[in-house]
Amino acid sequence: MKEWNIKCVNSFSMEKVIVAMQDPDMGMKMRNQRLLITVIPHAMTGRDVIDWLIQKYNICEEEALHVGGMLVRYGYIYPLKEPRSLVLRADETPYRFQTPYFWTSTRWPASELDYAIYLAKKNIRKQGELMEYEKERYSLLHKRINHTWDFVVMQAREQLRASKQRRKADRIVLECQEQAYWLINRPPVRSLTLHYSAVLYHTIESCRRALGRNRVKSSICLEGFVKFSEQYQNHDPIMQGCLPSNPWISDDTAHWTMNSEIVPVPTRLRVERWSFSFMELLNDPIGRREFMTYLEKEFSAENLCFWQACEDIRHGESSKIIQKVEDVYKNFLAPGAARWVNIDSKTMDKTLEGIKHPHRFVMDDAQLHIYFLMKKDSYPRYLKSDLYKNMLAKAIVPQETKKSVFPFMRRQRHSSPSPAQAVTQVTEEDGRAMGAGKAGTNSAAGSHV
Amino acid sequence: MCDQTFVAVTFGPCDSCSKASPLMNIYIKNEPINYCSFCVEMMACQGLQKGETLASLKRECDNLKKKLEEERGKLNDVELHQVAEKTEVLGALSVKTRRVLKGHGNKVLCMDWCKDRRRLVSSSQDGKVIVWDAFTLNKEHGITLPCTWVMACAYAPSGCAVACGGLDNKCSVVPLSLDKTENLAAKKKSVAMHTNYVSGCTFTNSDMQLLTCSGDGTCALWDVESGQLLQSFHGHTADVLSLDLAPSETGNTFVSGGCDKKANVWDMRSGQNIQSFESHESDINCVKYYPSGDAFASASDDATCRFYDLRADREVAVYQKDSIIFGASTVDFSLSGRLLFAGYNDYTINAWDVLKGTRVSVLFGHENRISRVRVSPDGTALCSASWDNTLRIWA
């Protein structure tokens, strides 16, 4: 477990606070607390903790609550009455210091074996004392580390026997401390840590899988990177600049305006990019629209419509999946459907079977099939078509803006409508809609002056 | 005044293997002894699996790892810098600070660009999340979270919401409203719940799904609407510090890096770990895909950044210099993937030539360590967030 503590929270500084709190002279005043019929020594109230922090570090109540809260959350102080509520209350609620033996920084890692022994002890000590989530974990552990179970039970018995030899107050204190430790390290919400044999099994399995995978020769892969970077170099503003100018340098937003989501005439660089890969074409709303127009001419537009509908299922709200899958089936897959798509029979059968229990990825195979169909067939033909060539020919090549004659005069930086405007309630008080709010919350925001 | 009702040894030489380490106090035949956790497990695993012992498992594991390295090496017929010899040498970048975003009262830990190429969201140690129009330096929204150390923030693809999380072990989604009187924090919706801090988050291709990584060693995919856990990803053996979504056609994978020095590639649908790379010598702080999706880069506390080829299944470049001794915390590629910007704990940003492996430029300006660098969606600028409480835009 990485000590994120060291990275930011710093367990060392938390421990310094704890040690200062227990200083015999300047530390906190301790008292005995009654817990049922037993008296627990060395306890303090939440109020005591807050007051001490305020006084010692000269901070306000809110900050003291925050710092104190961290001490509880990381297990250096634990609550006596409600052990599961890991908060610091600024009242008479009793707390105790956790023994350094159980400090997160020293007791590391908290292994499954440890936890199993703890649960076994609880189980043996009093039947039915395990909480629901503990019972679940106990049986899960029993399955997972079954080969160590004799050891677990033996240890649990030994530790219980040893603790019986202590005074009752000490025994209760130890139980409290241990419980507090495990509440921090195995909170009720599910978590997972692996111990050595499990880690090894896992690594062995992933090594075996990796050995079975297909690899591509380095020369081919690396050549690919060189080609990619070359192809995109002119499109990389940091390397080659951009036309008419980089808005961040010139304070002129013309570049963004010309490259908005939807423009009457796109720039040449943008249209060129559509030829780099099928994904580039589809990712550009204008490109996608042009491609749709082309497909309509070829009477295969249903492919792109189907693909879009599948994307909508994959990335949309969970609650709408069932309805959307039904619509897709009706429109594209059912025999005699208005926009029937041509999928191979194996994929079709698998998809139809999956539709009986619709889920987010049920259309994946069919969608991929149609995607590759378009990519291998329609896309290359589109790039050779007059439609595309005309687009390229009439595309804009912006003039480079010359540097200002008066370099000391800075252009005014215009603001732009926020994409969040689309969802803000428009007040009709002055009868004017706020800005040119873009409709359609799913599309990428394109707000430019 | 702390309990010394019983004295227990917590650290020291193990009674079995004599290595100094954290100790477990156990009983053997009524006698208390102190073993390190490895020896305890060795002993506990007496009946592992038909004659297997922990030692034999470890041997098998090491052999397989060696075999894997051999297999990977077989197809290694050329190095990246050799292939890159024919490309032209890059001149020094004329990149300068164009904006300084001041407004955070404490360390800025994370930032993310909006798709509109000029807005961004940033989060800081004091619990504040700010949405800026970086072009005009306007602060458009401010959200105060009840927790400190907001280590992760992300802008939703629609531009209508942001996600943020950190030491509260949660990741929440906040819809952005233009009503100035509205308290955005009140509309905050908890989506992700981890059992340790949230170190990174990103929306997938829509506002509806959120991918998170956490100090609890897992990554998880969540449905934003219902808060339901859609898939969880187990395999890291320590804190996961960073993740990035693949820009691939089929859009189904992501990479994560963590304190176990491993970078893992995952299938989002099945939760399976597809590929794993372990070559860094210390924690991996950040991972980022190459624009084509065929590779990714990583930044690590070992002061190096590395480049991993997914099709060749191996590390193909290490970006390091003797003069760079501080850990790298963040990386991002320029639009063409030719440049790799990396932020370091020595307050600088280094720009590397990805293909040749050489350093092209150093960007000075920040007055404390860099926590995050991100190139804008159209590649016109680089944003850096720093522990000096500011963000800078470079172009």
Side-chain angles (χ1 to χ4, degrees):
Chain A
M1 178 181 99
K2 166 79 181 192
E3 302 280 29
W4 175 266
N5 299 335
I6 295 172
K7 270 192 167 358
C8 65
V9 172
N10 206 321
S11 66
F12 301 130
S13 49
M14 276 204 284
E15 281 164 22
K16 262 198 242 159
V17 174
I18 290 290
V19 169
M21 280 173 127
Q22 295 170 75
D23 184 270
D25 302 314
M26 304 297 288
M28 295 196 45
K29 302 268 174 292
M30 312 292 276
R31 28 183 138 172
N32 291 341
Q33 289 281 345
R34 239 176 218 297
L35 195 67
L36 298 177
I37 53 168
T38 318
V39 173
I40 307 291
H42 305 159
M44 60 242 177
T45 66
R47 188 72 251 168
D48 289 340
V49 175
I50 306 273
D51 288 342
W52 186 88
L53 285 168
I54 291 177
Q55 210 240 4
K56 167 88 177 179
Y57 295 104
N58 201 11
I59 52 179
C60 66
E61 170 115 1
E62 191 183 347
E63 188 158 0
L65 256 171
H66 174 78
V67 174
M70 297 271 267
L71 296 176
V72 176
R73 238 219 329 240
Y74 283 85
Y76 291 100
I77 294 178
Y78 62 92
L80 274 176
K81 287 228 179 92
E82 273 171 74
R84 281 160 226 297
S85 172
L86 294 173
V87 285
L88 181 68
R89 288 185 223 280
D91 54 24
E92 297 303 300
T93 313
Y95 295 85
R96 288 192 92 241
F97 289 109
Q98 179 63 286
T99 179
Y101 178 73
F102 279 127
W103 283 358
T104 322
S105 53
T106 52
R107 244 331 235 169
W108 163 94
S111 72
E112 301 216 310
L113 206 55
D114 257 346
Y115 191 43
I117 294 171
Y118 165 68
L119 290 177
K121 272 201 295 191
K122 249 186 142 183
N123 204 25
I124 294 173
R125 205 166 43 216
K126 184 163 141 195
Q127 280 287 8
E129 200 177 32
L130 288 181
M131 304 218 67
E132 227 14 82
Y133 74 92
E134 284 174 331
K135 281 196 192 125
E136 270 172 38
R137 288 192 187 154
Y138 193 49
S139 60
L140 200 70
L141 280 168
H142 183 83
K143 261 187 247 152
R144 202 155 59 201
I145 56 172
N146 191 270
H147 47 276
T148 66
W149 213 251
D150 289 340
F151 178 76
V152 167
V153 172
M154 186 261 284
Q155 273 308 299
R157 290 211 178 104
E158 290 283 353
Q159 288 182 20
L160 279 175
R161 196 193 47 78
S163 76
K164 278 207 176 84
Q165 291 166 2
R166 299 191 207 283
R167 283 176 16 227
K168 182 156 189 210
D170 288 349
R171 194 161 69 236
I172 294 191
V173 160
L174 172 58
E175 277 166 23
C176 283
Q177 289 170 341
E178 211 180 16
Q179 180 178 239
Y181 173 74
W182 286 110
L183 279 171
I184 306 265
N185 283 281
R186 289 288 190 281
V189 183
R190 71 186 217 115
S191 77
L192 191 74
T193 53
L194 305 170
H195 77 156
Y196 287 110
S197 56
V199 171
L200 290 175
Y201 278 128
H202 181 90
T203 314
I204 288 173
E205 193 200 315
S206 69
C207 275
R208 289 219 178 99
R209 255 185 295 139
L211 280 167
R213 76 174 315 119
N214 287 328
R215 277 179 200 82
V216 181
K217 250 198 316 186
S218 280
S219 46
I220 298 178
C221 305
L222 301 178
E223 195 60 49
F225 298 134
V226 174
K227 281 214 184 74
F228 184 92
S229 292
E230 254 169 32
Q231 194 179 41
Y232 280 85
Q233 184 154 326
N234 285 345
H235 299 251
D236 189 337
I238 290 180
M239 291 186 63
Q240 302 277 125
C242 61
L243 301 172
S245 63
N246 188 323
W248 300 102
I249 301 177
S250 65
D251 288 341
D252 176 19
T253 57
H255 174 77
W256 285 334
T257 315
M258 288 182 198
N259 287 289
S260 293
E261 287 258 301
I262 304 287
V263 284
V265 187
T267 64
R268 194 185 174 86
L269 277 179
R270 180 173 178 175
V271 180
E272 258 174 32
R273 255 174 103 157
W274 301 348
S275 67
F276 290 177
S277 74
F278 189 37
M279 211 172 55
E280 286 281 2
L281 179 66
L282 288 184
N283 281 346
D284 185 336
I286 295 183
R288 199 189 285 199
R289 191 187 63 193
E290 288 294 303
F291 189 57
M292 182 70 90
T293 309
Y294 176 73
L295 290 180
E296 274 161 9
K297 290 210 170 107
E298 300 241 308
F299 303 105
S300 54
E302 68 276 359
N303 287 340
L304 187 56
C305 294
F306 174 69
W307 182 85
Q308 277 176 174
C310 292
E311 281 289 278
D312 198 28
I313 294 175
R314 253 189 349 141
H315 300 298
E317 291 109 312
S318 287
S319 53
K320 302 208 173 123
I321 289 178
I322 295 180
Q323 181 59 51
K324 285 181 181 170
V325 169
E326 216 182 283
D327 290 341
V328 165
Y329 173 73
K330 256 194 344 227
N331 292 327
F332 299 99
L333 298 174
R339 297 199 281 185
W340 191 78
V341 285
N342 195 357
I343 306 176
D344 67 284
S345 53
K346 194 165 146 221
T347 312
M348 180 67 96
D349 288 342
K350 192 168 166 214
T351 308
L352 292 179
E353 191 58 41
I355 289 180
K356 294 184 184 156
H357 308 281
H359 59 92
R360 186 175 291 277
F361 304 112
V362 72
M363 292 295 176
D364 270 14
D365 288 343
Q367 186 187 10
L368 256 179
H369 179 94
I370 294 294
Y371 179 85
F372 283 118
L373 195 68
M374 291 191 288
K375 178 179 172 182
K376 276 190 247 166
D377 183 35
S378 315
Y379 172 62
R381 283 190 288 115
Y382 167 69
L383 292 179
K384 297 201 190 91
S385 72
D386 287 337
L387 201 63
Y388 178 69
K389 290 199 178 128
N390 287 342
M391 204 67 188
L392 205 55
K394 65 177 182 163
I396 299 177
V397 181
Q399 286 270 16
E400 185 184 357
T401 308
K402 298 285 185 217
K403 288 237 168 77
S404 178
V405 177
F406 301 99
F408 304 104
M409 258 168 59
R410 204 186 64 181
R411 262 203 165 85
Q412 200 197 2
R413 296 169 181 168
H414 294 286
S415 62
S416 70
S418 163
Q421 234 164 303
V423 278
T424 304
Q425 301 293 6
V426 175
T427 53
E428 297 301 314
E429 270 167 51
D430 54 345
R432 259 193 319 147
M434 259 204 305
K438 289 248 156 73
T441 47
N442 265 349
S443 60
S447 47
H448 308 281
V449 172
Chain B
M1 258 186 294
C2 195
D3 288 323
Q4 296 299 313
T5 41
F6 53 95
V7 177
V9 185
T10 57
F11 193 92
C14 166
D15 284 344
S16 161
C17 68
S18 318
K19 254 195 342 193
S21 59
L23 296 174
M24 282 173 69
N25 316 110
I26 57 171
Y27 292 88
I28 308 282
K29 295 193 183 59
N30 299 350
E31 288 302 311
I33 56 170
N34 301 313
Y35 273 13
C36 71
S37 34
F38 189 77
C39 291
V40 170
E41 300 212 13
M42 284 277 275
M43 212 180 53
C45 296
Q46 297 297 339
L48 208 45
Q49 222 159 268
K50 281 209 203 120
E52 267 177 340
T53 61
L54 207 64
S56 74
L57 262 187
K58 184 123 194 1
R59 262 197 312 272
E60 183 182 355
C61 190
D62 288 339
N63 282 343
L64 277 174
K65 276 197 202 164
K66 223 171 65 188
K67 211 166 156 208
L68 185 58
E69 280 318 301
E70 277 166 24
E71 280 302 308
R72 282 174 167 169
K74 277 186 191 158
L75 290 171
N76 186 5
D77 54 346
V78 72
E79 293 300 318
L80 182 55
H81 63 88
Q82 290 172 294
V83 170
E85 258 156 32
K86 59 179 186 280
T87 57
E88 55 182 69
V89 177
L90 296 178
L93 293 177
S94 60
V95 163
K96 289 207 276 268
T97 302
R98 306 290 173 176
R99 302 280 192 280
V100 181
L101 279 63
K102 295 191 190 158
H104 276 292
N106 217 313
K107 309 180 170 77
V108 188
L109 302 175
C110 188
M111 59 78 44
D112 190 28
W113 286 96
C114 174
K115 278 218 170 117
D116 78 348
R117 318 159 222 204
R118 49 189 285 173
R119 284 176 171 77
L120 53 89
V121 61
S122 59
S123 62
S124 82
Q125 187 200 356
D126 60 3
K128 295 265 190 325
V129 174
I130 301 179
V131 174
W132 315 70
D133 176 353
F135 187 70
T136 56
L137 296 179
N138 263 355
K139 299 186 205 26
E140 297 192 338
H141 305 273
I143 306 161
T144 307
L145 296 177
C147 79
T148 56
W149 289 91
V150 187
M151 299 166 221
C153 63
Y155 223 119
S158 70
C160 300
V162 293
C164 44
L167 225 48
D168 55 354
N169 299 359
K170 295 196 277 220
C171 193
S172 313
V173 174
V174 183
L176 298 176
S177 153
L178 288 180
D179 182 350
K180 296 286 176 195
T181 61
E182 203 168 345
N183 175 15
L184 288 182
K187 284 243 169 105
K188 176 174 75 100
K189 182 183 169 164
S190 283
V191 171
M193 305 272 208
H194 280 277
T195 55
N196 210 328
Y197 64 91
V198 171
S199 50
C201 66
T202 179
F203 285 89
T204 61
N205 292 16
S206 76
D207 287 15
M208 301 300 150
Q209 290 178 302
L210 192 64
L211 194 58
T212 58
C213 60
S214 162
D216 66 10
T218 70
C219 302
L221 181 67
W222 309 84
D223 178 66
V224 173
E225 214 186 9
S226 62
Q228 199 199 355
L229 173 68
L230 296 173
Q231 184 65 261
S232 65
F233 307 89
H234 299 270
H236 279 287
T237 50
D239 303 22
V240 186
L241 297 179
S242 169
L243 54 69
D244 189 37
L245 213 52
S248 82
E249 307 184 279
T250 46
N252 273 334
T253 60
F254 72 95
V255 64
S256 66
C259 296
D260 56 359
K261 311 176 203 168
K262 286 213 214 98
N264 290 332
V265 181
W266 309 87
D267 178 315
M268 280 211 292
R269 275 192 55 176
S270 63
Q272 222 191 28
N273 179 355
I274 314 175
Q275 267 173 297
S276 189
F277 301 90
E278 193 172 352
S279 63
H280 270 291
E281 291 162 22
S282 185
D283 302 359
I284 295 180
N285 293 315
C286 183
V287 287
K288 196 75 176 54
Y289 270 96
Y290 181 77
S292 75
D294 291 328
F296 69 92
S298 59
S300 162
D301 275 348
D302 66 7
T304 71
C305 297
R306 292 172 199 241
F307 192 50
Y308 297 90
D309 184 332
L310 290 169
R311 293 187 300 167
D313 193 32
R314 63 179 190 96
E315 171 198 286
V316 294
V318 183
Y319 308 107
Q320 63 186 343
K321 240 172 148 45
D322 288 340
S323 55
I324 299 177
I325 54 173
F326 283 84
S329 57
T330 172
V331 276
D332 198 6
F333 288 95
S334 71
L335 190 133
S336 63
R338 181 67 192 269
L339 293 170
L340 182 71
F341 293 100
Y344 291 78
N345 293 344
D346 65 357
Y347 316 172
T348 66
I349 299 169
N350 288 304
W352 298 90
D353 180 335
V354 171
L355 301 177
K356 291 193 187 284
T358 53
R359 184 177 63 184
V360 174
S361 280
V362 190
L363 305 179
F364 296 99
H366 276 294
E367 291 163 14
N368 207 322
R369 56 166 81 176
I370 316 291
S371 52
R372 182 93 150 173
V373 292
R374 275 291 175 272
V375 172
S376 69
D378 63 352
T380 48
L382 173 77
C383 178
S384 57
S386 164
W387 282 21
D388 68 3
N389 304 2
T390 70
L391 295 104
R392 280 177 184 242
I393 308 287
W394 309 77

